[in-house]
Every structure is written in C-alpha cells, then in structure tokens.
Amino acid sequence: MTDRKKVVVVGGGTSGLAAAYSLLCSKEDVEVTVLEAADRAGGRIAGEEAGGFFIDTGAELFIESYGTVRKLAESLGIPLKRPPYVKGGLMYSNGRFHGIYMGGTWKQRLETLKTLLLFRVFSPKATLQMLRFIRMMRKRGNELSIEDPAKLAAFDSEGSFAAFMDDHSLGDYVNEASHVNIAAYTGAYPEEVGAAYGMSVLWNFLLNPAESVCLPERGVGSFATALVRATDEVTRLSTPVQRIVVEDGIARGAVTEAGENIAADAVICATPATTATWIVPGLPPDVRDVLSRISYSTVVKVVMGLDAELFPRGTFAAAFPKHSGSFLLGIANVKCVAPGVAPEGKNLLQAVTVGDNACSLLPLTDDEIETKVIGEVRKYFPAMPQTPHLARVYRWKEALCIASGGMLRDVLKIRTNGLDGVEGLFLAGDYMRVPISNGALESGIDAAGDSLSFLRQTAAGAD
Ligand SMILES: Cc1cc2nc3c(=O)[nH]c(=O)nc-3n(C[C@H](O)[C@H](O)[C@H](O)COP(=O)(O)OP(=O)(O)OC[C@H]3O[C@@H](n4cnc5c(N)ncnc54)[C@H](O)[C@@H]3O)c2cc1C
C-alpha cells in the first residue's frame, strides 16, 4: 500500500479490540481508530479492579480449545493456566444441595454416585437419558468443535435444543437437569437455543472429559484489560456511532452521535448484530434479514467479595434448576478457577440470573438488586455475610448471542458470500462465529485481515 489508509472500527468490545490489535500488529501502514460508545472499552469481556479483587464484568470462562484466545494471550503476555477445576458442582433439589461432578476427587465421585443412584436430583428416567445423551455426544464430539462453525453449521437445523432432545426421547433429562447447564453457558433456555449450539456448549464446557477451563490467573477480565491497554492509543471512548456511511456501494466512514464525520477507507462494524442492523443503512437486504433475527439473552450478575467459603473445597458452582423456585440460576466461586481474582484468604462469588428473572431486576437500583440477591444467597448459604467486602451489579440487557436454530448456518452464508454490493465494510462480533468470546475475537481478527486485503486490492487498482 502506498498512501496511509484509514480503518475505522465501530465498537471497542471483544471483536473490535481484537480487530484493532491485529491491525496494529500487522506490518501495514494503516491508521486505526476505534469508536466506542461506552466510557470504557472491553465490551462483554471487560475487567474491573476494586478493593484488591479482579472482577469479570461479563464472560468468566475460557476453555482450552479457544485457539484464538490462546494465541492472543501469548502475544499480550498473559499466561493461561488449567486450574484444578472439577466440572459440575452442587444442584439444588428437594430442599437441599446434591453434588454432581464430572470426575474430581474420590469424595466427589462417591457423592456423584450417591446423587445418581439414589435419584436425588434426576428421576431414574432422566438419569438413563443423561447417560444416553453423553454416549451420543461422545460419538458426535468431533462435529461439535467450538472452533469450527462450518462443521457445526452443517447440522444446524431450524430446530431448538429442546425440540431435538424431545425428538430423541431425552426430554426428561432437559426438564430436570440440563436446562440449567444450557442456561449457565448461553444465558438462555433450551427452547430458545439451536440444537447444534446447545450440544456444542454442553459437550465442550461440561461433558468432554478432555476439555478443561484455561484462564489467566486473574480471570478473563485481566485478558481484556491487556487488550484494552494494547489498543488504548487508537480508542476513542464515549463516542457512539450513529451511522456507518456507505456511498455508491463503498463504505466511506462513520458519523458519530455528536455529528462528527470520520472518513475511512475501510470500516469494521464490531457492534452486536441488533445495532449493526440500524447503524448500517446500506446493508444488503438478505444480510439485514439474517441479522434482524439474531437475539441476545439477558443476564444480571452480582459479584461479591467475602471471607467465607460457601461451597465445599474444589466446588466451583451451585445451580438452581427451574423447579427449585429460586430466581437465581447459579452461584459460582470464581477463585476456584482463577486463584488471583481475590486476595489471600478471600473469595469472589458471583450470583447470576438470566431470562425473565434477570429482566425483572433491570428496573431496580443497584442497591435493591444487591439486597435482594444477598438475601437469596443467605437463604441457601447461611454463612453468606449480610455485608460483603464488596458487591457490584452488572446488567447485560444483551448478554450472550442466543444462536437459535439455523443462525450458525445463515451466518456462515454471509461469511462465504460477503456483503454483496457493499465494499470496504466488514462485520465482526460473536454472532459471526460460534457466539462466545473466542468466536468474537476470531471474527475481529478475520475482519482486520479482510480489510487489509481490500485496501491492498484498491491500492493495486489505483496504481
Ligand atoms: C454475563 C456474560 C457472561 C459470559 N460468559 C462467557 C463465558 O464464560 N465464556 C465465553 O466464551 N463467553 C461468554 N460470554 C459471551 C462473550 O462475552 C461474548 O460473546 C463476546 O464478548 C461478544 O463480543 P462482541 O465483540 O460481539 O461484543 P462486545 O464485546 O459486546 O462489543 C461490542 C461493543 O460495541 C459497542 N457499541 C455498541 N453500539 C455502538 C455504537 N453505536 N457505537 C460505538 N460502539 C458501539 C459496545 O459498547 C461494545 O463495547 C458472556 C457474556 C456475558 C455478558
């Protein structure tokens, strides 16, 4: 490229920062500007530090097969570790918690056996269905790679996870237990989530014995903080974009809400799909149609720093199935997976609500949410203090992209065909891949690569 070209990245979240970092690391002479609406960058993986605690405001789990996370972490100098983490945890049923772990210590294995054989959580029918489902997942495991949306898209039907399970006579297992796992990993329930996506998250996060959590010592937020720092100089905060300008089928820049017109030779739109549909008036109709069907779950999480350890040692989470009657989906001790998130002798707990329960908290003040959630935790764990060292409320109206049946397949078509009739515009975001943090980061890096190829082509054409 001869002249210095400009790339504008709209959205300084996960995918937008990955795009900017990738452009900055490239050998090309490009000017990069990230326009971020919020007063901080990082989006749904952002980290926060308070009172010696390192908080994940959004995502909290990376797993080993997150190849893009691994590469970026290495480049950013953030070591990832496999903690001594046991999948599963406590499940509330019939008035008390029962341990159900995928492996673990002998004590945990024995407890799991007792839970299963005495049918303390699942009925005999659901227990048999669970074993059948695990066998089925083992056979299909290589089709369920979280890194390979093309493979997943191949069997992404219009159907939901719930419908798929019903069709395979596995409905009792869903109703009694796996709905809580699906909700924990997607923020949505089995009726909302597509079959391929639901199976993929269950297999990769829970059932695949070879897969493990793999995190920075201070959690996902510390990875985001490093990415934010690496792109700090090119990021403009509190700069919401109103419109991406497309003229004569070519992206020309962005107009901010304040009315500033920022010209560019290429634009990367790294906002959620719901925003992309209105921010780019020039989107091709078939692309707009796919994007307008994409939705997000709602999550409210309350993060609390405390001295007490509420769970048995080595237990990450306690879950509340729908029939438990709690408005919480689960409580997790983040220190169990990322030991550096809390000072010595302290723990960092997060209580999560999703769906309607989360929506009903949204109108409340932070103090009201805190009081309600702490009261609920104390109902189940009396050792929970009334006033923890720290409590923070995080509201995610658009939390995790839901990937309903057919979405992965439709989005793959957009990636394959490109944005027909619009040049110089590239879409990034979790919805463009398997919708998790790794997918978002990968989509940003790909959009950066595509924008550089486009700029090279236009430069060659001009010569
Ligand atoms: C509570 C929670 C828990 C999660 N848990 C996990 C997990 O454990 N593991 C995992 O892998 N994933 C998890 N995820 C999902 C993961 O965080 C997301 O898939 C990923 O971070 C999304 O990246 P993104 O770039 O698509 O969006 P974001 O990171 O949200 O970035 C979009 C950015 O665009 C900005 N923006 C929007 N509109 C405009 C505008 N008009 N102008 C300028 N900027 C704009 C936003 O402010 C935001 O910063 C979780 C998410 C949440 C919320």
Side-chain angles (χ1 to χ4, degrees):
M1 276 179 261
T2 43
D3 296 340
R4 192 153 208 242
K5 300 287 183 188
K6 285 186 187 169
V7 180
V8 160
V9 180
V10 179
T14 318
S15 55
L17 294 187
Y21 183 65
S22 178
L23 289 167
L24 293 175
C25 292
S26 77
K27 304 256 172 346
E28 308 282 358
D29 184 25
V30 280
E31 185 183 323
V32 184
T33 307
V34 179
L35 306 173
E36 167 54 43
D39 58 5
R40 71 159 169 222
R44 285 174 273 159
I45 59 167
E48 210 170 89
E49 196 185 336
F53 293 92
F54 293 87
I55 300 169
D56 297 329
T57 67
E60 64 276 326
L61 293 180
F62 289 159
I63 53 175
E64 272 182 329
S65 61
Y66 279 17
T68 308
V69 166
R70 276 207 316 272
K71 275 186 224 143
L72 277 173
E74 195 182 340
S75 166
L76 292 163
I78 301 281
L80 300 177
K81 283 193 187 146
R82 188 178 179 156
Y85 160 71
V86 184
K87 292 176 210 166
L90 306 175
M91 183 85 101
Y92 194 80
S93 182
N94 299 321
R96 54 167 291 218
F97 287 104
H98 305 278
I100 176 151
Y101 302 93
M102 306 294 293
T105 61
W106 284 111
K107 206 170 153 206
Q108 286 168 323
R109 282 166 201 252
L110 198 67
E111 203 179 334
T112 306
L113 209 61
K114 271 193 342 209
T115 302
L116 292 178
L117 293 181
L118 301 178
F119 306 113
R120 282 176 166 163
V121 179
F122 322 137
S123 64
K125 205 168 162 195
T127 306
L128 288 174
Q129 288 181 6
M130 179 182 75
L131 298 174
R132 196 149 59 77
F133 180 67
I134 294 177
R135 251 200 337 268
M136 189 203 251
M137 290 295 91
R138 285 207 164 129
K139 279 195 196 140
R140 303 193 80 156
N142 66 346
E143 292 170 78
L144 298 171
S145 162
I146 217 120
E147 284 239 283
D148 194 343
K151 257 190 200 160
L152 264 188
F155 75 103
D156 184 28
S157 69
E158 295 292 341
S160 67
F161 178 75
F164 174 90
M165 297 296 272
D166 267 346
D167 289 349
H168 288 78
S169 307
L170 296 165
D172 297 83
Y173 167 53
V174 175
N175 292 334
E176 292 179 35
S178 75
H179 69 272
V180 80
N181 302 122
I182 289 281
Y185 299 123
T186 69
Y189 283 101
E191 309 74 47
E192 303 165 281
V193 167
Y197 178 53
M199 280 189 274
S200 175
V201 291
L202 276 192
W203 172 246
N204 289 293
F205 280 90
L206 187 66
L207 301 174
N208 182 356
E211 185 62 86
S212 172
V213 161
C214 190
L215 285 168
E217 184 83 2
R218 289 181 171 170
V220 168
S222 66
F223 168 91
T225 303
L227 193 53
V228 169
R229 282 197 189 120
T231 48
D232 192 35
E233 283 192 359
V234 298
T235 303
R236 284 178 56 183
L237 299 176
S238 306
T239 311
V241 166
Q242 193 181 57
R243 188 163 53 90
I244 289 173
V245 180
V246 179
E247 280 168 8
D248 304 325
I250 302 176
R252 304 281 185 194
V255 179
T256 68
E257 269 183 20
E260 189 183 353
N261 199 336
I262 300 167
D265 300 292
V267 179
I268 295 174
C269 179
T271 67
T274 42
T275 306
T277 53
W278 61 262
I279 212 176
V280 199
L283 267 186
D286 53 334
V287 175
R288 176 182 304 284
D289 180 49
V290 171
L291 265 53
S292 61
R293 281 186 271 119
I294 293 174
S295 59
Y296 294 79
S297 57
T298 297
V299 172
V300 173
K301 78 180 199 178
V302 179
V303 178
M304 296 158 284
L306 54 155
D307 295 323
E309 194 162 356
L310 302 189
F311 307 153
R313 191 149 286 235
T315 298
F316 171 54
F320 298 92
K322 268 185 174 169
H323 53 78
S324 70
S326 177
F327 68 89
L328 294 177
L329 173 70
I331 309 170
N333 181 2
V334 191
K335 193 165 181 176
C336 188
V337 287
V341 293
E344 192 63 34
K346 297 194 169 40
N347 285 292
L348 191 67
L349 220 67
Q350 64 167 42
V352 173
T353 62
V354 305
D356 291 345
N357 287 327
C359 290
S360 68
L361 294 180
L362 290 178
L364 306 184
T365 64
D366 281 6
D367 283 353
E368 286 167 338
I369 295 177
E370 239 175 78
T371 309
K372 201 167 151 68
V373 166
I374 290 172
E376 186 74 357
V377 177
R378 280 166 62 84
K379 252 178 32 195
Y380 296 94
F381 296 98
M384 173 72 201
Q386 182 78 58
T387 320
H389 292 298
L390 157 139
R392 289 272 198 285
V393 177
Y394 300 97
R395 303 148 191 264
W396 294 102
K397 202 154 180 281
E398 291 190 330
L400 292 100
C401 173
I402 286 180
S404 56
M407 186 203 100
L408 297 172
R409 189 197 51 201
D410 292 345
V411 166
L412 187 67
K413 274 191 213 144
I414 298 180
R415 282 177 50 208
T416 314
N417 301 339
L419 298 183
D420 200 19
V422 182
E423 288 185 14
L425 173 66
F426 305 92
L427 299 178
D430 56 359
Y431 68 94
M432 290 296 284
R433 291 289 187 287
V434 180
I436 42 173
S437 53
N438 189 71
L441 294 163
E442 194 185 351
S443 77
I445 292 170
D446 282 358
D450 291 346
S451 65
L452 288 177
S453 307
F454 168 75
L455 293 176
R456 266 185 236 116
Q457 268 170 28
T458 49
D463 287 344

